[in-house]
Amino acid sequence: MLFMGTTFQNVQTVNANFRLTMKRERLMASAIRIPLTILCLLGSAVLPSVTRAEAPVFVLTPEDSSIEFFVKASVAIKGVFAKWDATLTFKTPEVSTGVLEIKIQAESVDTGSGMKNGKLKGKDFFDVKQNPLITFLSKKIVQTGPDTFQVDGDFTIRGVTKPEVLTLTITGKGTGSGTIKGTMAFDRKEFGMNSGIPFIKIADRVEVTINLKAKRTSGPPVALKQ
């Protein structure tokens, strides 16, 4: 009986020690999980900032840039837009992540002729009262040569949006600053500009030229093919 009692007490002691050990391990595991959770939260908060810092940041300066247009006609029609804004943004240094956006104040058109300006601002052409902005928003940028790019995007004028292609040539590659020269041509009648100007024969094709001064203010350079 003494042997059996002693054995029973030993079993109870072993069980108690086992339960105490398991409790300690659970407490330690909880203590470890809490710092790990905090670290994960901190990591998710920090990582986006790191990603943003790794993207090139560019500033385009309108005062050193221009947007012009030309239409072949019996009396040459060419002009500039005095008021506009453009941005070039990247998610990473890869060219394909770039987005070029241009917003032009249609009211700011200047051909050097008050009569031509008035006609272009009217309902038959830009219709500036109903559609104050002419815009281009890139959807895809592909490098086609050491200094050339094809930019597919949505072009909007007088409230009509259609896909168009802007061809770009850059200078100053690798210096952090330079110029972006682009050309685009579109058919004015596809955007509802079917009328003409009295006594002037106008072609349907409109050519647009952009000259943008760009400067990288932070982040790495864009990864360009040589």
Side-chain angles (χ1 to χ4, degrees), residues 8-86:
F8 180 75
Q9 289 177 352
N10 289 341
V11 169
Q12 284 184 317
T13 301
V14 169
N15 288 339
N17 290 338
F18 177 79
R19 286 194 296 270
L20 180 60
T21 301
M22 292 300 295
K23 184 175 181 181
R24 288 174 179 172
E25 288 181 355
R26 284 196 297 271
L27 289 173
M28 290 178 66
S30 299
I32 291 172
R33 282 198 298 270
I34 293 173
L36 286 176
T37 302
I38 294 173
L39 287 174
C40 289
L41 291 173
L42 288 174
S44 63
V46 172
L47 285 177
S49 299
V50 172
T51 302
R52 286 194 294 269
E54 291 177 349
V57 177
F58 284 88
V59 172
L60 305 178
T61 53
E63 57 270 20
D64 298 319
S65 310
S66 64
I67 298 180
E68 306 172 356
F69 66 93
F70 170 80
V71 183
K72 187 179 289 186
S74 55
V75 176
I77 299 177
K78 60 181 180 179
V80 300
F81 291 96
K83 296 179 181 180
W84 54 271
D85 183 53

Coordinates of all heavy atoms in Angstrom, one line a residue, residues 8-86:
F8 N 1.4 6.9 -6.7 CA 0.3 7.8 -7.0 C 0.7 9.2 -6.8 O 0.4 10.1 -7.6 CB -1.0 7.4 -6.2 CG -2.1 8.3 -6.5 CD1 -2.9 8.1 -7.7 CD2 -2.5 9.3 -5.6 CE1 -3.9 8.9 -7.9 CE2 -3.6 10.1 -5.9 CZ -4.3 9.9 -7.1
Q9 N 1.4 9.5 -5.7 CA 1.8 10.8 -5.4 C 2.8 11.3 -6.4 O 2.8 12.4 -6.9 CB 2.4 10.9 -4.0 CG 1.4 10.8 -2.9 CD 2.0 10.8 -1.5 OE1 3.2 10.7 -1.4 NE2 1.2 10.8 -0.5
N10 N 3.7 10.4 -6.8 CA 4.7 10.7 -7.9 C 4.0 11.1 -9.2 O 4.5 12.0 -9.9 CB 5.7 9.5 -8.1 CG 6.6 9.4 -6.9 OD1 6.8 10.3 -6.1 ND2 7.2 8.2 -6.8
V11 N 3.0 10.3 -9.5 CA 2.3 10.6 -10.8 C 1.6 12.0 -10.7 O 1.7 12.8 -11.7 CB 1.2 9.5 -11.1 CG1 0.3 9.9 -12.2 CG2 1.9 8.2 -11.4
Q12 N 1.0 12.3 -9.5 CA 0.4 13.6 -9.4 C 1.5 14.7 -9.5 O 1.2 15.7 -10.2 CB -0.3 13.7 -8.0 CG -1.6 12.9 -7.9 CD -2.2 13.2 -6.6 OE1 -1.6 13.1 -5.6 NE2 -3.5 13.4 -6.6
T13 N 2.6 14.5 -9.0 CA 3.7 15.5 -9.0 C 4.1 15.7 -10.5 O 4.3 16.8 -11.0 CB 4.9 15.1 -8.2 OG1 4.4 14.9 -6.8 CG2 6.0 16.1 -8.2
V14 N 4.3 14.6 -11.2 CA 4.7 14.6 -12.6 C 3.7 15.4 -13.4 O 4.0 16.3 -14.3 CB 5.0 13.2 -13.2 CG1 5.2 13.3 -14.7 CG2 6.2 12.6 -12.5
N15 N 2.4 15.1 -13.2 CA 1.4 15.8 -14.0 C 1.4 17.3 -13.7 O 1.2 18.1 -14.6 CB 0.0 15.2 -13.6 CG -0.2 13.8 -14.2 OD1 0.5 13.4 -15.2 ND2 -1.1 13.0 -13.7
A16 N 1.5 17.6 -12.4 CA 1.5 19.0 -12.0 C 2.7 19.7 -12.7 O 2.6 20.9 -13.2 CB 1.6 19.2 -10.5
N17 N 3.9 19.1 -12.7 CA 5.0 19.7 -13.3 C 4.8 19.9 -14.8 O 5.3 20.9 -15.4 CB 6.3 18.9 -13.0 CG 6.7 18.9 -11.6 OD1 6.4 19.9 -10.9 ND2 7.5 17.9 -11.1
F18 N 4.2 18.9 -15.4 CA 3.9 18.9 -16.9 C 3.0 20.1 -17.2 O 3.2 20.8 -18.2 CB 3.3 17.6 -17.3 CG 3.0 17.5 -18.8 CD1 4.0 17.3 -19.7 CD2 1.7 17.7 -19.2 CE1 3.6 17.3 -21.1 CE2 1.3 17.7 -20.5 CZ 2.3 17.5 -21.5
R19 N 1.9 20.2 -16.4 CA 1.0 21.3 -16.7 C 1.7 22.6 -16.5 O 1.4 23.6 -17.2 CB -0.2 21.2 -15.7 CG -1.2 20.1 -16.1 CD -2.5 20.2 -15.4 NE -2.3 20.1 -13.9 CZ -2.4 18.9 -13.3 NH1 -2.6 17.8 -14.0 NH2 -2.2 18.8 -12.0
L20 N 2.5 22.8 -15.5 CA 3.2 24.0 -15.2 C 4.2 24.3 -16.4 O 4.3 25.5 -16.8 CB 4.0 23.9 -13.9 CG 4.8 25.2 -13.5 CD1 3.9 26.4 -13.3 CD2 5.6 24.9 -12.2
T21 N 4.9 23.3 -16.9 CA 5.8 23.5 -18.0 C 5.0 24.0 -19.3 O 5.4 24.9 -20.0 CB 6.5 22.2 -18.3 OG1 7.3 21.8 -17.2 CG2 7.5 22.4 -19.5
M22 N 3.9 23.3 -19.6 CA 3.1 23.7 -20.7 C 2.6 25.1 -20.6 O 2.5 25.9 -21.6 CB 1.9 22.7 -20.9 CG 2.3 21.3 -21.2 SD 3.2 21.2 -22.8 CE 1.9 21.8 -23.9
K23 N 2.2 25.5 -19.4 CA 1.7 26.9 -19.2 C 2.8 27.9 -19.5 O 2.5 28.9 -20.1 CB 1.1 27.0 -17.8 CG 0.5 28.4 -17.5 CD -0.1 28.4 -16.1 CE -0.7 29.8 -15.8 NZ -1.3 29.9 -14.4
R24 N 4.0 27.6 -19.0 CA 5.1 28.5 -19.2 C 5.4 28.6 -20.7 O 5.7 29.7 -21.2 CB 6.3 28.0 -18.5 CG 6.3 28.2 -17.0 CD 7.5 27.5 -16.3 NE 7.4 27.7 -14.8 CZ 8.3 27.1 -14.0 NH1 9.2 26.3 -14.5 NH2 8.2 27.4 -12.7
E25 N 5.3 27.5 -21.4 CA 5.6 27.5 -22.9 C 4.6 28.3 -23.6 O 4.9 29.1 -24.6 CB 5.7 26.1 -23.4 CG 6.9 25.3 -23.0 CD 6.9 23.9 -23.5 OE1 5.9 23.5 -24.2 OE2 7.9 23.2 -23.3
R26 N 3.3 28.2 -23.2 CA 2.2 29.0 -23.8 C 2.5 30.5 -23.6 O 2.3 31.3 -24.5 CB 0.9 28.6 -23.3 CG 0.4 27.2 -23.9 CD -1.1 27.1 -23.7 NE -1.4 27.0 -22.3 CZ -1.5 25.9 -21.6 NH1 -1.2 24.7 -22.1 NH2 -1.8 25.9 -20.3
L27 N 2.9 30.9 -22.4 CA 3.1 32.3 -22.1 C 4.3 32.8 -22.9 O 4.3 33.9 -23.4 CB 3.4 32.4 -20.6 CG 2.2 32.2 -19.7 CD1 2.7 32.3 -18.2 CD2 1.2 33.3 -19.9
M28 N 5.3 32.0 -23.1 CA 6.5 32.4 -23.8 C 6.1 32.6 -25.3 O 6.5 33.5 -26.0 CB 7.6 31.4 -23.7 CG 8.3 31.4 -22.3 SD 9.5 30.1 -22.2 CE 10.7 30.7 -23.4
A29 N 5.3 31.7 -25.8 CA 4.9 31.7 -27.2 C 4.1 33.0 -27.5 O 4.2 33.7 -28.5 CB 4.1 30.5 -27.6
S30 N 3.2 33.3 -26.5 CA 2.4 34.6 -26.7 C 3.3 35.8 -26.6 O 3.1 36.8 -27.4 CB 1.3 34.6 -25.5 OG 0.5 33.5 -25.6
A31 N 4.3 35.8 -25.7 CA 5.2 36.9 -25.6 C 6.0 37.1 -26.9 O 6.3 38.2 -27.3 CB 6.1 36.7 -24.5
I32 N 6.3 36.0 -27.6 CA 7.0 36.1 -28.8 C 6.2 36.6 -30.0 O 6.6 37.4 -30.8 CB 7.6 34.7 -29.2 CG1 8.7 34.3 -28.2 CG2 8.2 34.7 -30.6 CD1 9.2 32.9 -28.4
R33 N 4.9 36.1 -30.0 CA 4.0 36.5 -31.1 C 3.7 38.0 -31.1 O 3.5 38.6 -32.1 CB 2.6 35.7 -30.9 CG 2.7 34.3 -31.5 CD 1.3 33.7 -31.7 NE 0.5 33.7 -30.5 CZ 0.5 32.6 -29.7 NH1 1.2 31.6 -30.0 NH2 -0.3 32.7 -28.6
I34 N 3.6 38.6 -29.9 CA 3.2 40.0 -29.8 C 4.3 40.9 -30.5 O 4.0 41.7 -31.4 CB 3.0 40.5 -28.4 CG1 1.8 39.8 -27.8 CG2 2.9 42.0 -28.3 CD1 1.5 40.0 -26.3
P35 N 5.6 40.7 -30.2 CA 6.6 41.5 -30.9 C 6.7 41.2 -32.4 O 6.9 42.1 -33.2 CB 7.9 41.1 -30.2 CG 7.5 40.6 -28.9 CD 6.2 39.9 -29.1
L36 N 6.4 40.0 -32.8 CA 6.4 39.6 -34.2 C 5.3 40.4 -34.9 O 5.4 40.9 -36.0 CB 6.3 38.1 -34.4 CG 7.5 37.3 -34.1 CD1 7.2 35.8 -34.3 CD2 8.6 37.7 -35.0
T37 N 4.1 40.4 -34.2 CA 3.0 41.2 -34.8 C 3.3 42.6 -35.0 O 3.0 43.3 -36.0 CB 1.7 41.0 -33.9 OG1 1.4 39.6 -33.8 CG2 0.5 41.7 -34.5
I38 N 3.9 43.2 -33.9 CA 4.3 44.6 -34.0 C 5.3 44.9 -35.1 O 5.2 45.8 -35.9 CB 4.9 45.1 -32.7 CG1 3.9 45.0 -31.6 CG2 5.5 46.5 -32.8 CD1 4.4 45.3 -30.2
L39 N 6.3 43.9 -35.3 CA 7.3 44.1 -36.4 C 6.6 44.0 -37.7 O 7.0 44.7 -38.6 CB 8.3 43.0 -36.2 CG 9.3 43.1 -35.1 CD1 10.2 41.9 -35.0 CD2 10.2 44.4 -35.3
C40 N 5.6 43.1 -37.9 CA 4.9 43.0 -39.2 C 4.2 44.3 -39.5 O 4.2 44.8 -40.6 CB 4.0 41.8 -39.2 SG 4.8 40.2 -39.2
L41 N 3.5 44.9 -38.5 CA 2.8 46.1 -38.7 C 3.8 47.3 -39.1 O 3.5 48.1 -39.9 CB 2.0 46.5 -37.4 CG 0.8 45.6 -37.1 CD1 0.2 46.0 -35.7 CD2 -0.2 45.7 -38.2
L42 N 4.9 47.3 -38.3 CA 5.9 48.3 -38.7 C 6.4 48.2 -40.1 O 6.6 49.1 -40.8 CB 7.0 48.3 -37.6 CG 6.7 48.8 -36.2 CD1 7.9 48.6 -35.3 CD2 6.3 50.3 -36.3
G43 N 6.7 46.9 -40.4 CA 7.2 46.6 -41.8 C 6.2 47.0 -42.9 O 6.6 47.6 -43.9
S44 N 4.9 46.8 -42.7 CA 4.0 47.2 -43.7 C 3.8 48.7 -43.8 O 3.5 49.2 -44.8 CB 2.6 46.6 -43.3 OG 2.1 47.1 -42.1
A45 N 4.1 49.4 -42.7 CA 4.1 50.8 -42.7 C 5.3 51.4 -43.4 O 5.2 52.5 -44.1 CB 3.9 51.4 -41.3
V46 N 6.4 50.8 -43.2 CA 7.7 51.3 -43.7 C 7.9 51.0 -45.2 O 8.4 51.8 -46.0 CB 8.9 50.8 -42.9 CG1 10.2 51.2 -43.5 CG2 8.8 51.4 -41.5
L47 N 7.5 49.8 -45.6 CA 7.8 49.3 -47.0 C 7.3 50.2 -48.1 O 8.0 50.4 -49.0 CB 7.4 47.9 -47.1 CG 8.2 46.8 -46.4 CD1 7.6 45.4 -46.6 CD2 9.7 46.8 -47.0
P48 N 6.0 50.7 -48.0 CA 5.5 51.5 -49.0 C 6.4 52.8 -49.2 O 6.6 53.2 -50.3 CB 4.1 51.9 -48.6 CG 3.7 50.8 -47.7 CD 5.0 50.3 -47.0
S49 N 6.9 53.4 -48.1 CA 7.7 54.5 -48.2 C 9.0 54.2 -48.9 O 9.5 55.0 -49.7 CB 8.0 55.1 -46.8 OG 6.9 55.4 -46.1
V50 N 9.6 53.0 -48.6 CA 10.8 52.6 -49.3 C 10.6 52.5 -50.8 O 11.3 52.9 -51.6 CB 11.3 51.3 -48.7 CG1 12.5 50.8 -49.5 CG2 11.7 51.5 -47.3
T51 N 9.4 51.9 -51.2 CA 9.1 51.7 -52.6 C 8.9 53.0 -53.3 O 9.4 53.2 -54.4 CB 7.7 50.9 -52.7 OG1 7.9 49.7 -52.1 CG2 7.4 50.7 -54.2
R52 N 8.3 54.0 -52.6 CA 8.1 55.3 -53.2 C 9.5 56.0 -53.4 O 9.7 56.7 -54.4 CB 7.2 56.2 -52.4 CG 5.7 55.8 -52.5 CD 4.8 56.9 -51.9 NE 5.1 57.0 -50.4 CZ 4.4 56.4 -49.5 NH1 3.4 55.5 -49.9 NH2 4.6 56.5 -48.2
A53 N 10.3 55.8 -52.5 CA 11.6 56.5 -52.5 C 12.5 55.9 -53.7 O 13.4 56.6 -54.2 CB 12.4 56.3 -51.2
E54 N 12.2 54.7 -54.1 CA 12.9 54.0 -55.2 C 12.5 54.4 -56.6 O 13.1 54.0 -57.5 CB 12.9 52.5 -55.0 CG 13.6 52.0 -53.8 CD 13.5 50.5 -53.6 OE1 12.6 49.9 -54.3 OE2 14.2 49.9 -52.8
A55 N 11.4 55.2 -56.7 CA 10.9 55.6 -58.0 C 11.5 57.0 -58.4 O 11.6 57.9 -57.5 CB 9.4 55.7 -57.9
P56 N 11.8 57.2 -59.6 CA 12.3 58.5 -60.1 C 11.2 59.5 -60.0 O 10.0 59.2 -60.2 CB 12.7 58.3 -61.6 CG 12.7 56.8 -61.7 CD 11.8 56.2 -60.7
V57 N 11.5 60.7 -59.6 CA 10.6 61.8 -59.5 C 11.0 62.9 -60.4 O 12.1 63.4 -60.3 CB 10.4 62.3 -58.0 CG1 9.5 63.5 -58.0 CG2 10.0 61.2 -57.1
F58 N 10.1 63.3 -61.3 CA 10.5 64.4 -62.3 C 9.6 65.6 -62.1 O 8.4 65.5 -61.7 CB 10.3 63.8 -63.7 CG 11.4 62.9 -64.2 CD1 11.3 61.6 -63.9 CD2 12.5 63.4 -64.8 CE1 12.3 60.7 -64.3 CE2 13.5 62.6 -65.2 CZ 13.5 61.2 -65.0
V59 N 10.1 66.8 -62.5 CA 9.4 68.0 -62.5 C 9.4 68.5 -64.0 O 10.5 68.6 -64.5 CB 9.9 69.0 -61.5 CG1 9.2 70.4 -61.8 CG2 9.7 68.6 -60.1
L60 N 8.3 68.9 -64.5 CA 8.2 69.5 -65.9 C 7.9 70.9 -65.7 O 6.9 71.3 -65.0 CB 7.2 68.8 -66.7 CG 7.3 67.2 -66.9 CD1 6.2 66.7 -67.7 CD2 8.7 66.9 -67.5
T61 N 8.7 71.8 -66.3 CA 8.5 73.2 -66.1 C 7.9 73.9 -67.3 O 8.6 74.0 -68.4 CB 9.9 73.9 -65.7 OG1 10.8 73.5 -66.8 CG2 10.4 73.4 -64.4
P62 N 6.7 74.4 -67.2 CA 6.0 75.0 -68.4 C 6.7 76.3 -68.9 O 6.7 76.5 -70.1 CB 4.6 75.4 -67.8 CG 4.4 74.5 -66.6 CD 5.8 74.2 -66.1
E63 N 7.4 77.0 -68.0 CA 8.1 78.2 -68.4 C 9.2 77.9 -69.4 O 9.6 78.8 -70.2 CB 8.6 79.0 -67.3 CG 9.5 78.3 -66.3 CD 8.8 77.6 -65.2 OE1 7.6 77.3 -65.3 OE2 9.5 77.3 -64.2
D64 N 9.7 76.7 -69.4 CA 10.8 76.4 -70.3 C 10.3 75.4 -71.4 O 11.1 74.8 -72.1 CB 12.0 75.7 -69.5 CG 12.6 76.6 -68.5 OD1 12.8 77.8 -68.8 OD2 12.9 76.2 -67.4
S65 N 9.0 75.3 -71.5 CA 8.4 74.3 -72.4 C 7.4 74.9 -73.3 O 7.0 76.1 -73.2 CB 7.8 73.1 -71.6 OG 8.7 72.6 -70.6
S66 N 6.9 74.1 -74.3 CA 5.8 74.6 -75.1 C 5.0 73.5 -75.7 O 5.5 72.4 -75.8 CB 6.4 75.5 -76.3 OG 7.2 74.6 -77.1
I67 N 3.8 73.8 -76.1 CA 2.9 72.9 -76.8 C 2.3 73.7 -78.0 O 1.7 74.7 -77.9 CB 1.7 72.4 -75.9 CG1 2.3 71.6 -74.7 CG2 0.8 71.5 -76.7 CD1 1.2 71.0 -73.8
E68 N 2.6 73.2 -79.2 CA 2.3 73.8 -80.4 C 1.4 72.9 -81.3 O 1.4 71.7 -81.1 CB 3.5 74.3 -81.2 CG 4.5 75.1 -80.3 CD 5.8 75.3 -81.0 OE1 6.0 74.8 -82.1 OE2 6.6 76.0 -80.5
F69 N 0.7 73.5 -82.3 CA 0.0 72.7 -83.3 C 0.1 73.4 -84.6 O 0.4 74.6 -84.8 CB -1.5 72.6 -82.9 CG -2.3 73.9 -82.9 CD1 -3.0 74.3 -84.0 CD2 -2.3 74.7 -81.8 CE1 -3.7 75.5 -84.0 CE2 -2.9 75.9 -81.8 CZ -3.7 76.3 -82.9
F70 N -0.2 72.6 -85.7 CA -0.1 73.1 -87.0 C -1.1 72.3 -87.9 O -1.3 71.1 -87.8 CB 1.3 72.8 -87.6 CG 1.4 73.0 -89.1 CD1 1.5 74.3 -89.6 CD2 1.4 72.0 -90.0 CE1 1.6 74.6 -91.0 CE2 1.5 72.2 -91.3 CZ 1.6 73.5 -91.8
V71 N -1.8 73.1 -88.7 CA -2.8 72.5 -89.7 C -2.5 73.0 -91.1 O -2.4 74.3 -91.2 CB -4.2 72.8 -89.3 CG1 -5.2 72.2 -90.3 CG2 -4.5 72.4 -87.9
K72 N -2.3 72.2 -92.0 CA -2.0 72.6 -93.4 C -3.3 73.3 -93.9 O -4.4 72.7 -93.8 CB -1.6 71.4 -94.3 CG -1.2 71.9 -95.7 CD -0.8 70.6 -96.5 CE 0.6 70.1 -96.0 NZ 1.0 69.0 -96.9
A73 N -3.2 74.4 -94.5 CA -4.3 75.2 -94.9 C -3.9 76.2 -96.0 O -2.7 76.4 -96.2 CB -5.0 75.9 -93.8
S74 N -4.9 76.7 -96.7 CA -4.6 77.7 -97.7 C -3.9 79.0 -97.1 O -3.1 79.6 -97.7 CB -5.9 78.1 -98.5 OG -6.9 78.6 -97.6
V75 N -4.3 79.2 -95.9 CA -3.6 80.2 -95.1 C -3.1 79.5 -93.8 O -3.9 79.0 -93.0 CB -4.5 81.4 -94.7 CG1 -3.7 82.4 -93.7 CG2 -5.0 82.1 -95.9
A76 N -1.8 79.4 -93.6 CA -1.2 78.5 -92.6 C -1.9 78.8 -91.2 O -2.1 79.9 -90.8 CB 0.3 78.8 -92.5
I77 N -2.3 77.7 -90.6 CA -2.8 77.8 -89.2 C -1.9 77.1 -88.3 O -1.7 75.8 -88.3 CB -4.2 77.2 -89.2 CG1 -5.2 77.9 -90.1 CG2 -4.8 77.2 -87.7 CD1 -6.6 77.3 -90.1
K78 N -1.2 77.8 -87.4 CA -0.4 77.3 -86.4 C -0.5 78.1 -85.2 O -0.8 79.3 -85.3 CB 1.1 77.2 -86.9 CG 1.7 78.5 -87.3 CD 3.2 78.2 -87.8 CE 3.8 79.6 -88.2 NZ 5.2 79.3 -88.6
G79 N -0.2 77.6 -84.1 CA -0.3 78.3 -82.8 C 0.2 77.6 -81.7 O 0.8 76.5 -81.8
V80 N 0.1 78.2 -80.5 CA 0.5 77.6 -79.2 C -0.6 77.7 -78.2 O -1.6 78.4 -78.4 CB 1.8 78.4 -78.7 CG1 2.9 78.3 -79.7 CG2 1.4 79.8 -78.4
F81 N -0.4 76.9 -77.1 CA -1.3 77.0 -76.0 C -0.5 77.7 -74.8 O 0.6 77.2 -74.4 CB -1.8 75.7 -75.6 CG -2.8 75.1 -76.6 CD1 -2.3 74.2 -77.5 CD2 -4.1 75.5 -76.6 CE1 -3.2 73.7 -78.5 CE2 -5.0 74.9 -77.5 CZ -4.6 74.0 -78.4
A82 N -1.0 78.8 -74.3 CA -0.3 79.5 -73.3 C -0.4 78.9 -71.9 O 0.5 79.1 -71.0 CB -0.7 81.0 -73.2
K83 N -1.5 78.2 -71.6 CA -1.7 77.6 -70.3 C -2.0 76.1 -70.4 O -2.9 75.7 -71.1 CB -3.0 78.3 -69.6 CG -2.8 79.8 -69.4 CD -4.0 80.4 -68.8 CE -3.9 81.9 -68.5 NZ -5.1 82.5 -67.9
W84 N -1.1 75.4 -69.7 CA -1.2 74.0 -69.6 C -0.4 73.4 -68.5 O 0.4 74.2 -67.9 CB -0.8 73.3 -70.9 CG 0.6 73.7 -71.4 CD1 1.0 74.8 -72.1 CD2 1.8 73.1 -71.0 NE1 2.3 74.9 -72.3 CE2 2.9 73.9 -71.6 CE3 2.2 72.0 -70.2 CZ2 4.2 73.5 -71.4 CZ3 3.5 71.7 -70.1 CH2 4.5 72.4 -70.7
D85 N -0.6 72.2 -68.2 CA 0.2 71.5 -67.1 C 0.5 70.1 -67.5 O -0.3 69.4 -68.2 CB -0.6 71.5 -65.8 CG 0.1 70.9 -64.7 OD1 1.3 71.3 -64.4 OD2 -0.4 70.0 -64.0
A86 N 1.7 69.6 -67.2 CA 2.0 68.2 -67.5 C 2.8 67.6 -66.4 O 3.5 68.2 -65.6 CB 2.9 68.2 -68.8

